[in-house]
Amino acid sequence: MKVSEVGEFGLIDILARMVEEAGIKGFDRHTGQGLLLGIGDDTSAWAAETGVQLATTDTLVQGVHFIPDVTSWQELGWKALAVNLSDIAAMGGEPWYALITLGLPSDTEVENIKELYRGMLEIARQYGVVIAGGDIVGSPVFFITLALIGGAQKGLDYPSNMLRRSAAMRGDLVAVTGYLGAAAGGLKMLQQGITFDLETTAYLKEAHLRPKPRIEAGKALLKAGISAAMDISDGLLADLSKLCQASAVAACIQADQVPVHPLLKAGFGEESLTLALSGGEDYELLFTGTEEVVERARGLIQEPVAVIGKIVEGKAGQVSVIDRSRKLIQPSKGGWDHFVA
Amino acid sequence: MKVSEVGEFGLIDILARMVEEAGIKGFDRHTGQGLLLGIGDDTSAWAAETGVQLATTDTLVQGVHFIPDVTSWQELGWKALAVNLSDIAAMGGEPWYALITLGLPSDTEVENIKELYRGMLEIARQYGVVIAGGDIVGSPVFFITLALIGGAQKGLDYPSNMLRRSAAMRGDLVAVTGYLGAAAGGLKMLQQGITFDLETTAYLKEAHLRPKPRIEAGKALLKAGISAAMDISDGLLADLSKLCQASAVAACIQADQVPVHPLLKAGFGEESLTLALSGGEDYELLFTGTEEVVERARGLIQEPVAVIGKIVEGKAGQVSVIDRSRKLIQPSKGGWDHFVA
């Protein structure tokens, strides 16, 4: 059987089971130390002597995750760290140290790698991350792997000290920070060479190439009492389904409540809803909680917070989308429509 | 300028300077926290609230670092973790948690990846490492990146709590654990299809495919009072030169003292010295110290310890090799010879 047949998530399941069966050391109540979260959440988490540590890793491969024509080396550097920071944000944690691995074809221009580092150092400085080391290897294709180590919120005990995918409860409201779909809109614009006015172009380009990890918002969510969250990297519906799967619940989303920025709407019209529901790489935070806790979170977060639906009973991982009249809609050629009999 | 023109270490220098100039947060005496070792040693190290953490990462790329004809998937899994464990060993530290990144062509056989994990889990169990998470990405070429996080020896203050490359002193003896050259001999045997008797074949194959990271030896070195060490991954001379460079000293090695296993000698004759001096991937520990401290270390370490030379005054990073009659020798076509005028 090929990897393409089981898919990324199928393969992760197979390997996670092997790791589990091999008898991994879990958290030990007596020593107060050990693994808290293994494979399956936004980061791994373990308890050290004082405080809980978080670790995450993400890789960008040339031709798979980025195309040099669309992404400059500096933007790539920004993004490589940003996607890892977003995983720490999704735990409500604080980023500390990064290890950078570069796979380089021998004809790579040194100046390009310096540009890459300029972008990475810019965002590292903004978020207080220290580049602590790494590895450089020869490779027929360029790739960058980043491992980021951080800490969970202090002063709280596990599990209250981190946002988890598995903590959504039936009856919770579903909410998101910021606006969705702009990163996917930006990618489409850049790839297809679509031209918009200056303001729209700048907004969409920035959304795709320089995502802003929501570290402060993640910490604020924890402070407000939110338990369940993840970052939106693969698209709202795909990621909400993963959160619901991990929590053994279902969700129902109201399409007209999904936050679409006016500039995305102006640029892409009706398609903007599809981009907001299914487009990836927005790196906003998706979270659930009671009305009271979500409202408290809204008060603590700088970005706009939109309530877009509810956690409901149903098949674990199932996400349905309804329109303003509460009728189920589904993706179709032209966008999102009512089911056609 | 291409990467091939500046080389791996030239590029690392360029990037390390950029990171430094960007103003990385160093160790803060007031809080007792921050980065202790950045780019340039076997691992990074930073002080957390209690205890010092170590982090390292290494990558193996198909066709560059291994060839599937020579290395089975299970052996590759063992090796991918072993090379990272060896970096922790070279600090005298303890390994804790690993993050695994796989870059996979879509036609990769799932069974191969399961074999890879079997090998990785086998060594993880032996060394008490927890596989805490990771990432799987599409890639035109297979690669595996491992990030390993561990802790420095407890009960000692920095810098006494870790073995560093920069701590060699003029007058120190130079010593190594175990035997050298067998991993390179094993690679040559496998690649060229050389046949030996069963015992030699098994020894050389094991040396190349299943290196044993010297975690216990690393801890014992620290306990004995050794300060300067690194693991031998690129070959004795290349790595000793790096250690000398970091310590701003030179070294002189006595060729006949370099430990060559009888089976390597039996298999490769005179060439075994070349393999021992220049062959990579033995993952033994190279260290320096006063005679008293080296002898104390010998008493605490399970593996044989060989004193092979001395740290001397000279150009930083320069390593010379002498024969039994204390005459300088150098690499030549047939092995190692006296300089030819």
Side-chain angles (χ1 to χ4, degrees), chain A residues 100-108 113 117 134-145, chain B residues 3-4 7-9 11-12 15 57-66 83-84 141-146 234:
Chain A
I100 319 294
T101 297
L102 300 178
L104 301 180
S106 61
D107 65 350
T108 306
I113 302 305
Y117 258 67
D135 190 21
I136 294 176
V137 297
S139 167
V141 61
F142 173 90
F143 67 85
I144 175 168
T145 298
Chain B
V3 165
S4 54
E8 178 191 343
F9 299 109
L11 183 58
I12 291 175
L15 300 178
T57 184
D58 260 302
T59 294
L60 302 175
V61 180
Q62 183 165 340
V64 180
H65 302 96
F66 71 96
V83 300
N84 281 282
V141 61
F142 173 90
F143 66 85
I144 174 167
T145 298
L146 232 132
D234 293 343

Side-chain angles (χ1 to χ4, degrees), chain A residues 1-6 8 11-12 14-16 18-19 21-25 33-35 37-39 43-50 53 55-62 64-65 95-97 99-102 104-111 113-115 117-118 121 125 128-141 143 145 147-149 154, chain B residues 1-6 8 11-12 14-16 18-19 21-25 33-35 37-39 43-50 53 55-62 64-65 95-97 99-102 104-111 113-115 117-118 121 125 128-141 143 145 147-149 154:
Chain A
M1 199 163 40
K2 307 285 187 195
V3 165
S4 53
E5 294 167 65
V6 297
E8 178 192 345
L11 183 58
I12 290 174
I14 291 168
L15 300 178
M18 285 180 69
V19 169
E21 282 163 11
I24 60 166
K25 287 187 293 193
Q33 288 175 47
L35 191 69
L37 294 180
I39 299 166
T43 77
S44 308
W46 62 82
E49 268 182 34
T50 60
Q53 310 212 322
T56 184
T57 184
D58 260 301
T59 295
L60 302 175
V61 180
Q62 183 165 338
V64 179
H65 302 96
W96 293 344
Y97 295 94
L99 300 181
I100 319 294
T101 297
L102 300 178
L104 301 180
S106 61
D107 65 350
T108 306
E109 290 289 342
V110 171
E111 192 49 42
I113 302 305
K114 289 170 76 171
E115 278 296 311
Y117 258 67
R118 279 184 200 113
L121 287 165
R125 240 184 330 241
V129 173
V130 176
I131 293 176
D135 190 21
I136 294 176
V137 297
S139 167
V141 61
F143 67 85
T145 298
L148 184 61
I149 294 132
K154 284 183 198 169
Chain B
M1 200 163 39
K2 307 284 187 195
V3 165
S4 54
E5 295 168 64
V6 297
E8 178 191 343
L11 183 58
I12 291 175
I14 292 169
L15 300 178
M18 285 180 69
V19 169
E21 282 163 9
I24 60 165
K25 287 187 294 191
Q33 289 175 47
L35 191 69
L37 295 180
I39 298 165
T43 76
S44 307
W46 61 83
E49 268 183 33
T50 62
Q53 311 214 319
T56 183
T57 184
D58 260 302
T59 294
L60 302 175
V61 180
Q62 183 165 340
V64 180
H65 302 96
W96 293 344
Y97 295 94
L99 301 182
I100 320 294
T101 297
L102 301 178
L104 300 182
S106 61
D107 65 350
T108 306
E109 290 290 341
V110 171
E111 192 48 41
I113 301 307
K114 288 170 77 172
E115 277 298 309
Y117 258 67
R118 279 184 201 115
L121 286 165
R125 241 183 329 241
V129 173
V130 176
I131 294 176
D135 191 20
I136 294 176
V137 297
S139 168
V141 61
F143 66 85
T145 298
L148 183 61
I149 295 133
K154 284 182 198 172

Side-chain angles (χ1 to χ4, degrees), chain B residues 41-325:
Chain B
D41 216 305
D42 292 293
T43 76
S44 307
W46 61 83
E49 268 183 33
T50 62
V52 169
Q53 311 214 319
L54 308 174
T56 183
T57 184
D58 260 302
T59 294
L60 302 175
V61 180
Q62 183 165 340
V64 180
H65 302 96
F66 71 96
I67 302 160
D69 290 352
V70 170
T71 311
S72 76
W73 288 92
Q74 192 160 359
E75 288 156 348
L76 184 67
W78 174 285
K79 198 157 182 175
L81 183 46
V83 300
N84 281 282
L85 282 167
S86 183
D87 283 322
I88 298 278
M91 306 301 284
E94 183 119 45
W96 293 344
Y97 295 94
L99 301 182
I100 320 294
T101 297
L102 301 178
L104 300 182
S106 61
D107 65 350
T108 306
E109 290 290 341
V110 171
E111 192 48 41
N112 292 346
I113 301 307
K114 288 170 77 172
E115 277 298 309
L116 178 87
Y117 258 67
R118 279 184 201 115
M120 208 150 42
L121 286 165
E122 187 191 351
I123 185 168
R125 241 183 329 241
Q126 272 185 36
Y127 285 81
V129 173
V130 176
I131 294 176
D135 191 20
I136 294 176
V137 297
S139 168
V141 61
F142 173 90
F143 66 85
I144 174 167
T145 298
L146 232 132
L148 183 61
I149 295 133
Q153 191 138 328
K154 284 182 198 172
L156 296 167
D157 284 331
Y158 180 79
S160 320
N161 59 349
M162 61 184 85
L163 302 166
R164 284 148 300 128
R165 295 187 180 184
S166 59
M169 308 271 282
R170 192 151 52 89
D172 275 0
L173 299 182
V174 177
V176 293
T177 61
Y179 299 96
L180 301 184
L187 176 63
K188 194 166 179 177
M189 174 187 79
L190 292 168
Q191 275 183 331
Q192 302 185 0
I194 307 171
T195 50
F196 294 119
D197 62 90
L198 281 181
E199 194 189 359
T200 306
T201 303
Y203 169 70
L204 295 176
K205 202 176 160 190
E206 183 88 359
H208 176 62
L209 295 174
R210 288 168 63 95
K212 309 280 181 297
R214 301 303 187 196
I215 295 285
E216 290 309 316
K219 291 195 229 171
L221 288 180
L222 265 186
K223 226 170 268 173
I226 297 286
S227 303
M230 69 183 293
D231 67 326
I232 302 178
S233 56
D234 293 343
L236 172 64
L237 296 183
D239 287 332
L240 180 55
S241 171
K242 280 178 225 158
L243 186 135
C244 286
Q245 185 86 47
S247 297
V249 294
C252 180
I253 295 301
Q254 209 172 317
D256 63 307
Q257 299 300 314
V258 173
V260 175
H261 194 280
L263 289 172
L264 182 68
K265 179 91 187 189
F268 285 93
E270 283 309 304
E271 198 192 345
S272 58
L273 177 62
T274 305
L275 293 169
L277 289 172
S278 307
E281 303 201 295
D282 283 312
Y283 299 106
E284 294 292 349
L285 296 181
L286 167 68
F287 59 100
T288 83
T290 63
E291 192 175 342
E292 189 196 336
V293 171
V294 169
E295 286 314 310
R296 202 184 305 146
R298 190 198 298 280
L300 295 175
I301 293 179
Q302 232 182 342
E303 292 78 34
V305 165
V307 172
I308 60 172
K310 221 168 175 173
I311 297 296
V312 296
E313 211 163 345
K315 193 170 160 262
Q318 191 165 53
V319 176
S320 34
V321 183
I322 56 175
D323 67 7
R324 204 180 295 243
S325 57

Side-chain angles (χ1 to χ4, degrees), chain A residues 184-200:
Chain A
L187 177 62
K188 192 165 181 178
M189 172 187 81
L190 292 168
Q191 275 183 332
Q192 303 185 359
I194 307 171
T195 50
F196 294 119
D197 62 273
L198 280 181
E199 192 190 1
T200 305

